[in-house]
Amino acid sequence: MIHFVLLISRQGKVRLTKWYSPYSQKERTKVIRELSGVILTRGPKLCNFVEWRGFKVVYKRYASLYFCMCIDQDDNELEILEIIHHYVEILDRYFGSVCELDLIFNFHKAYYILDELLIAGELQESSKKTVARLIAAQDSLVETAKEQASSISNIIAQATK
Amino acid sequence: MGSQGGFYQSKEFLDLVKSIGEARSKAEEDRIVLNEIETLKRRISEPDIPKRKMKEYIIRLVYVEMLGHDASFGYIHAVKMTHDDSLLVKRTGYLAVTLFLNEDHDLIILIVNTIQKDLKSDNFLVVCAALNAVSKLINEETIPAVLPQVVELLAHPKEAVRKKAIMALHRFYQKSPSSVSHLVSNFRKRLCDNDPGVMGATLCPLFDLITRDVNSYKDLVISFVSILKQVVERRVPKAYDYHQMPAPFIQIKLLKILALLGSGDKQSSAKMYTVVGDIFRKCDSSSNIGNAILYECICCVSSIYPNPKLLESAADVISRFLKSDSHNLKYMGVDALGRLIKISPEIAEQHQLAVIDCLEDPDDTLKRKTFELLYKMTKSTNVEVIVDRMIDYMISINDNHYKTEIASRCVELAEQFAPSNRWFIQTMNKVFEHAGDLVNIKVAHNLMRLIAEGFGEDDDTADSQLRSSAVESYLCILGEPKLPSVFLQVICWVLGEYGTTDGKFSASYIIGKLCDVAEAYSNDETVKAYAVTALMKIHTFEIAAGRKVDMLPECQSLMEELLASHSTDLQQRAYELQAVIGLDAHAVACIMPSDASCEDIEVDKGLSFLNGYIQESIEKGAQPYIPESERSGMLNISNFRSQDHHEASSHGLRFEAYELPKPIVQSKIPPASLASTELVPVPEKMYPRESYQTTVPSVSSDAGPSELKLRLDGVQMKWGRPTFSPATSTSNSTISQKTVNGITQVDGASTANSRTRETYDSRKPQVEISPEKKKLAASLFGGSSKTEKRAATGHKISKSSSHMVEKSHVPKSSMEVASEKTPPVQQPLDLLDLGEPTVTSTVPSVDPFKQLEGLVDTTQVASAVNHGLTAAAKSPDIMALYSETPADGDLLSGVLNPSMTNMPGGTTTRQSMPRSKGPNPKDSLEKDALVRQMGVTPASQNPNLFKDLLG
């Protein structure tokens, strides 16, 4: 099971956190501090895995962003690496050449996508197409709602002029 | 739908993100965030906020919380948002609550109602959003509230809903297995769902169910095998392919389940052999996902009933992993090896050098994994080398969590396989010295017990040798500063008990040392107590031996200090010491018999030895004792008794109220004591207290130290295993002698066994395969023969293993050829990782912003006109190939990219990729322009932000 997902920039800034196991806010801060200390200092040629407090943390660097997932002792690390990559590919397809800035300003979208990929710390969908379709369905909803909102606000604006 | 639509938040929010992005220090960031929290607090409680604004506030709250600050003031607003009718707003609300609230939060009760309603919605997106929230927020108490609806959704026409319902049920099962135990049949049914996504999701709960109860699912073996077979034969939709691998995540999950089902079950395992063998053959070992599947196959093979052919394939894969350049694969290889050696221990031998390389690798993760492997393959023949290595590593790290783990492993191995007691004590000394505060106190008690009991056989000389060596080593160690408390306790105890036994050290020398300890660690009462008791023992032994002892001045001053100590325990010990010193040799010998810590103390419960004294007193006219049960006038008698139990050493105040007087009948509890009252006039329960007051020394001092020194009862007896009796150790040496006349390399085995430390310390260069490494290999693996029978043929084995060393050059070089072939295939993998230098060559090294500054205007127009157009213009060549979905060209180009990256012709992909994806600088430029439009000027020092995550 995946206990949490962290996205940390090379400077140690948090870009996204998702906790599937209960951690208090205090513990979360501690975990992030501890792990970014360990992971950001690791050399490029080393393993993408770190043993940590009886768990394993699998991380992968994409450009200046580290994607980390914490898993149980008996999980398959290589699989988790691919789940990370799977997520990045979906993000890439969604944003069109995703970059860190996309995730900074649209972190909530990254959350929505993650929610279609993982549930309760398990991989729920391994087809990129399905995930993309679901996200698109939700987004089309957003678009129409936005259009409505803007047209209404236009009407209001004109009426109050 | 791409990034261009993304920045619809207000300028305020963008500014916030930007200023946090540019914050130079954590303090500055905190200040900004605290400011933001103040603003939000004010704004969010204003009346009549438009929904859209509110949505943004909530997202800002999420952001603040993500940065580690407390946003709890806004939780209730997030909860309110989930009640909204518009899905758009609702979705944000659900996202926020799932991020904010843990399952035990009080606010959840306010959401349950909404969730119930949403689960019944006609819009499947609403249902999905609610199910997402269910799997995060519903706890044990609220499961029944939503369970019926979730079960109903298992038959929903939309597969996305069915899938999420399955996952939600899985979560329920994790929370409270009993709540869904009657629904297991649903999982079985969903396994046959015609959507592979739903089927894949069903594997998660089934895996858990099977983990807990294998036998009820044996009938599913055939189904799982046939599903796996279909997947491997590519009969699942193409959409589930990942890097050209058919549904790899489903394959992995299935292999995990099969491993459980086949464990120790020959019949079930037999059904799996073919398909697992197929995967071994078909799996593409050049991609990471292929290796993930192969690794899972090895796990499966090592768990199910062994099959020689599969084991062979597994061993092949392991050797490929270990020989790989990738640290990840090495790590997996070491892990897999650890699994496989349980079944076929001999496979470790051929990988000895690779394992040693991993052990010496600078990568900590790899090193630890290797230690885990060594731990699994430790035997009495290689225990010294392995434990020495472990301790060296333990000393070098400062991660307490891992230090504790490795220390306990050292102790465990040392206890199980110690070749000699002397070695054991030295090892334990090292463990205690460096991780003393982290090891279990039981370990210390075990150590004291070992020293006291020795071999547990009638070999007194060996025992006393052991003790004097322990004493010597401890006196040596005492010179070092800052020893852990537990270790000091052991030292004090041993010095007190055996410090003067062999006559090598004078009593005054030991006393001086003990006083030093008590003084140096004056904050640690336990250590002091041990020290004082040790002092008492030394003094009594001296007195008993008829020698005159003078109190050393430092001891005197220590005593004075302790007599006035705040700790009653220390005070008592000091008084006891004072009292004992004044006694004659005979009495002292009774109180503190030499080397009797392991003897059982026989308690004369009847206190018959006092009969004469009582008789005398009665004759003199004293009142005879009236047993408790026969008294009626004294009310507080029962209190005395209970006091006696817990009030062992102090006469402190009691703060709890006295018990209520009880009827006399109730107080005669133990029938045994009744029986004894008839024989002895003094009831047993009363006596200890009285003896205490009159300080009859034999009772108090005997009970005191034996109680505080060493709690032997309840401590596990792990000692005296026949493995390290002298008989086996001699057989060990004969093995190494035998091997000596074989090959020069093997003589390392004998030296390593006897003097391993020196060989390591002197080991310096390790070009190619250094002889030291060979020695190490021999000492680790050479003795891998488990039984005595194999040990007898040790000569042959070691010989062949040395051949293996030479032979391994041959396959290695052939592997090198192979690996030289593989790089072009692996290349695209590297490409995806922008951390690699290869990518920088494709990306212009010039700062894209400066370079493209002038172009801003034109491209800005282009991007503003239509992003989709450029994508469409890019894709025609691809469209010709995949005519299935010509409608969404934008999406299509995305579909193809990832699959193209892994095409075998790696070089072509490398060139085509940037073209099909839209050149890097151009894309960044669009984004840059857009951000500028929004009024945010990104810091140009950090072009990384614009770098594509996927190259």
Side-chain angles (χ1 to χ4, degrees), chain B residues 419-439:
Chain B
S420 71
N421 282 354
R422 191 195 187 87
W423 177 84
F424 178 77
I425 284 179
Q426 278 168 354
T427 307
M428 294 310 256
N429 285 355
K430 274 187 252 164
V431 173
F432 274 121
E433 202 177 329
H434 299 285
D437 292 325
L438 303 170
V439 293

Side-chain angles (χ1 to χ4, degrees), chain B residues 344-414:
Chain B
S344 46
E346 68 281 352
I347 110 161
E349 271 168 43
Q350 47 178 306
H351 299 302
Q352 35 186 305
L353 290 172
V355 169
I356 286 161
D357 277 340
C358 291
L359 197 61
E360 275 155 18
D361 199 276
D363 187 349
D364 246 13
T365 311
L366 193 53
K367 213 180 241 180
R368 289 181 187 185
K369 196 80 208 170
T370 315
F371 274 122
E372 206 180 303
L373 171 67
L374 292 183
Y375 166 75
K376 282 180 190 158
M377 48 179 265
T378 306
K379 295 177 203 77
S380 47
T381 44
N382 56 13
V383 64
E384 291 173 80
V385 189
I386 289 177
V387 171
D388 266 354
R389 281 257 156 174
M390 281 183 163
I391 289 175
D392 285 349
Y393 180 65
M394 185 187 78
I395 294 169
S396 72
I397 58 172
N398 45 17
D399 164 5
N400 270 353
H401 189 277
Y402 193 69
K403 215 170 189 171
T404 316
E405 195 181 309
I406 201 168
S408 66
R409 280 186 175 172
C410 286
V411 171
E412 191 188 320
L413 291 180

Side-chain angles (χ1 to χ4, degrees), chain B residues 505-517:
Chain B
F505 302 100
S506 73
S508 58
Y509 177 72
I510 303 276
I511 290 172
K513 282 281 182 190
L514 286 167
C515 289
D516 289 348
V517 171

Side-chain angles (χ1 to χ4, degrees), chain B residues 387-549:
Chain B
V387 171
D388 266 354
R389 281 257 156 174
M390 281 183 163
I391 289 175
D392 285 349
Y393 180 65
M394 185 187 78
I395 294 169
S396 72
I397 58 172
N398 45 17
D399 164 5
N400 270 353
H401 189 277
Y402 193 69
K403 215 170 189 171
T404 316
E405 195 181 309
I406 201 168
S408 66
R409 280 186 175 172
C410 286
V411 171
E412 191 188 320
L413 291 180
E415 284 184 351
Q416 262 182 31
F417 301 109
S420 71
N421 282 354
R422 191 195 187 87
W423 177 84
F424 178 77
I425 284 179
Q426 278 168 354
T427 307
M428 294 310 256
N429 285 355
K430 274 187 252 164
V431 173
F432 274 121
E433 202 177 329
H434 299 285
D437 292 325
L438 303 170
V439 293
N440 194 327
I441 186 86
K442 261 192 180 175
V443 175
H445 294 156
N446 264 348
L447 178 59
M448 290 192 260
R449 189 190 188 112
L450 168 80
I451 294 172
E453 286 186 344
F455 284 107
E457 284 156 30
D458 298 327
D459 191 355
D460 280 345
T461 47
D463 285 359
S464 57
Q465 261 175 13
L466 166 79
R467 286 167 195 154
S468 51
S469 78
V471 168
E472 246 170 87
S473 68
Y474 289 156
L475 286 173
C476 228
I477 285 168
L478 270 184
E480 300 194 12
K482 275 242 154 223
L483 293 168
S485 172
V486 181
F487 192 31
L488 284 166
Q489 290 165 27
V490 176
I491 292 178
C492 286
W493 187 83
V494 172
L495 287 185
E497 201 74 23
Y498 303 108
T500 51
T501 338
D502 61 352
K504 217 172 189 174
F505 302 100
S506 73
S508 58
Y509 177 72
I510 303 276
I511 290 172
K513 282 281 182 190
L514 286 167
C515 289
D516 289 348
V517 171
E519 205 174 312
Y521 300 88
S522 55
N523 293 331
D524 191 334
E525 275 183 18
T526 327
V527 170
K528 264 184 174 172
Y530 270 87
V532 175
T533 308
L535 282 173
M536 174 153 73
K537 281 185 211 158
I538 303 278
H539 280 115
T540 51
F541 295 157
E542 288 300 294
I543 295 168
R547 284 184 289 257
K548 174 109 180 64
V549 269

